[in-house]
């Protein structure tokens, strides 16, 4: 089964909407050269909520052919939830994707697997494609329990989703010890986990579903290490943090095959 590679840039809490416009304009200019084949690689950016409206305007101007999404969403659709953002609003702003369960949401905001399950269901209610983030911390890795730990997250987070939903789901394996640390998991580590997640999905659903689910690696991805990670059989893309704020670096990750 042919899975289109997905290169995602998570800006985290960086870039106000003015800085965001400049970054996207530079990205449009850098990716506009003839070397870039938009059909072969899907590029998605995740700016802060406050940048989404200007991102929509820029992308609608057709100079920048990227998709965009939000870094989080509410499990609820509307109502008295001060500070929360509904998936309904994100869909209306043209978002295609939404991050769910980034380790910074899990640790800083104490998001539980139960809540993330609700958030995944909310994303599907509004036709947003969730990118579910999973992965272990350093202690779990050192104890050698990273695979069962991460699979347990996957199982609880996707509980109750149907085969069609899981076929379109994207799961990003992001070992916490490799996020923003310069410490990158080796291509073998990324492959080991992605293969284990795919096997788990085959077990829970079937081989056809497992062959469709796209699996990403995230954690200190740069242009210099992207190609080797993306060369792994079960790794279908990367979720890039820090390096997505550097246009040259991010563009070179997008062009990993060249
Ligand atoms: O969402 C992205 C990940 O947290 C990776 O961040 O590339 O800065 O390590 P990083």
């Amino acid at each position: 089964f042919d899975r289109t590679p997905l290169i995602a840039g998570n800006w985290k809490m960086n870039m106000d909407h003015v800085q965001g416009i400049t970054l996207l304009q530079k990205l449009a200019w850098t990716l506009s050269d003839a070397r870039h084949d938009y059909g072969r690689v899907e590029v998605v950016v995740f700016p802060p909520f406050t940048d989404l409206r200007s991102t929509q305007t820029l992308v609608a101007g057709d100079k920048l052919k990227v998709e965009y999404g939000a870094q989080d969403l509410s499990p609820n659709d509307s109502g008295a939830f001060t500070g929360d953002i509904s998936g309904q609003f994100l869909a209306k702003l043209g978002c295609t994707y939404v991050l769910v369960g980034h380790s910074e949401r899990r640790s800083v905001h104490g998001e539980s697997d139960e809540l993330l399950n609700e958030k995944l269901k909310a994303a599907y209610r509004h036709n947003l494609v969730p990118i579910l983030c999973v992965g272990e911390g350093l202690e779990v890795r050192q104890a050698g329990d990273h695979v069962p730990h991460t699979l347990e997250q996957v199982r609880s987070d996707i509980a109750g989703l149907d085969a069609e939903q899981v076929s379109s789901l994207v799961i990003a394996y992001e070992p916490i010890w490799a996020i923003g640390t310069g410490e990158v998991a080796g291509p073998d580590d990324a492959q080991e986990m992605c293969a284990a997640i795919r096997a788990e999905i085959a077990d829970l659903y079937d081989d056809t579903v497992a062959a469709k689910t796209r699996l990403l690696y995230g954690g200190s991805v740069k242009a210099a290490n992207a190609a080797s990670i993306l060369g792994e059989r079960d790794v279908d893309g990367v979720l890039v943090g820090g390096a997505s704020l550097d246009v040259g670096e991010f563009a070179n990750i997008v062009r990993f095959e060249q």
Side-chain angles (χ1 to χ4, degrees), residues 11 17 23 29 39 57 67 80 83 87 89 115 118 125 154 160 165 172 184 186 197:
W11 297 3
H17 79 283
L23 182 74
W29 186 81
T57 308
E67 291 167 281
F89 307 162
L115 174 67
E118 290 300 312
R125 276 201 299 280
V154 171
Q165 291 170 329
V184 59
I197 295 174

Side-chain angles (χ1 to χ4, degrees), residues 2-9 27 31 36-46 65-69 95-98 129-131 168-170 212 214 216 230 236-240 250 253-257:
D2 230 7
R3 296 182 294 266
T4 308
L6 176 57
I7 310 295
L27 187 64
L31 291 181
H36 185 61
D37 175 359
Y38 279 104
R40 251 176 352 148
V41 178
E42 205 179 331
V43 183
V44 190
V45 292
F46 291 92
K65 295 190 189 97
V66 299
E67 291 167 281
Y68 53 92
C95 291
T96 9
Y97 288 89
V98 64
V129 176
I131 299 187
S168 69
L169 177 66
V170 181
K212 288 183 182 164
R214 283 186 294 176
L216 316 183
L230 286 158
D236 307 312
V238 285
L239 179 54
V240 185
F250 190 62
I253 297 172
V254 169
R255 298 177 175 127
F256 68 97
E257 282 172 314

Side-chain angles (χ1 to χ4, degrees), residues 9-10 12 99 102-104 133 174 178-182 218-222 239-244:
N10 174 13
K12 309 194 177 184
L99 298 180
H102 190 282
S103 63
E104 288 146 21
C133 306
E174 299 207 303
I179 296 178
T181 57
S220 298
V221 172
K222 311 240 169 326
L239 179 54
V240 185
S244 70

Side-chain angles (χ1 to χ4, degrees), residues 47 55 70 127 156 180 184 237-238:
T55 303
N127 295 318
S156 353
V184 59
V238 285

Side-chain angles (χ1 to χ4, degrees), residues 67-148:
E67 291 167 281
Y68 53 92
Q71 298 172 15
D72 183 37
L73 86 168
S74 169
N76 301 294
D77 294 341
S78 66
F81 302 101
T82 304
D84 284 1
I85 303 285
S86 163
Q88 187 165 251
F89 307 162
L90 300 176
K92 204 156 190 178
L93 276 171
C95 291
T96 9
Y97 288 89
V98 64
L99 298 180
V100 173
H102 190 282
S103 63
E104 288 146 21
R105 301 289 321 169
R106 291 179 191 257
S107 63
V108 183
H109 297 275
E111 296 195 357
S112 65
D113 289 311
E114 205 176 23
L115 174 67
L116 300 178
N117 181 253
E118 290 300 312
K119 289 190 174 195
L120 287 177
K121 290 174 181 162
Y124 285 113
R125 276 201 299 280
H126 302 292
N127 295 318
L128 296 164
V129 176
I131 299 187
L132 170 68
C133 306
V134 293
E136 82 287 353
L138 188 59
E139 276 179 26
V140 174
R141 164 66 61 161
Q142 283 169 340
D145 294 334
H146 50 289
V147 174

Side-chain angles (χ1 to χ4, degrees), residues 14 44 113 135 155 179 183 235 242-243:
N14 297 293
V44 190
D113 289 311
R155 274 193 302 272
I179 296 178
E183 192 84 44
V235 181

Side-chain angles (χ1 to χ4, degrees), residues 16-64:
D16 61 41
H17 79 283
V18 179
Q19 296 168 317
I21 291 173
T22 309
L23 182 74
L24 290 171
Q25 281 170 334
K26 284 189 191 154
L27 187 64
W29 186 81
T30 311
L31 291 181
S32 66
D33 75 19
R35 284 196 297 152
H36 185 61
D37 175 359
Y38 279 104
R40 251 176 352 148
V41 178
E42 205 179 331
V43 183
V44 190
V45 292
F46 291 92
F49 288 125
T50 47
D51 298 20
L52 289 172
R53 176 69 173 141
S54 47
T55 303
Q56 179 187 38
T57 308
L58 272 181
V59 172
D62 207 31
K63 289 222 168 60
L64 178 62

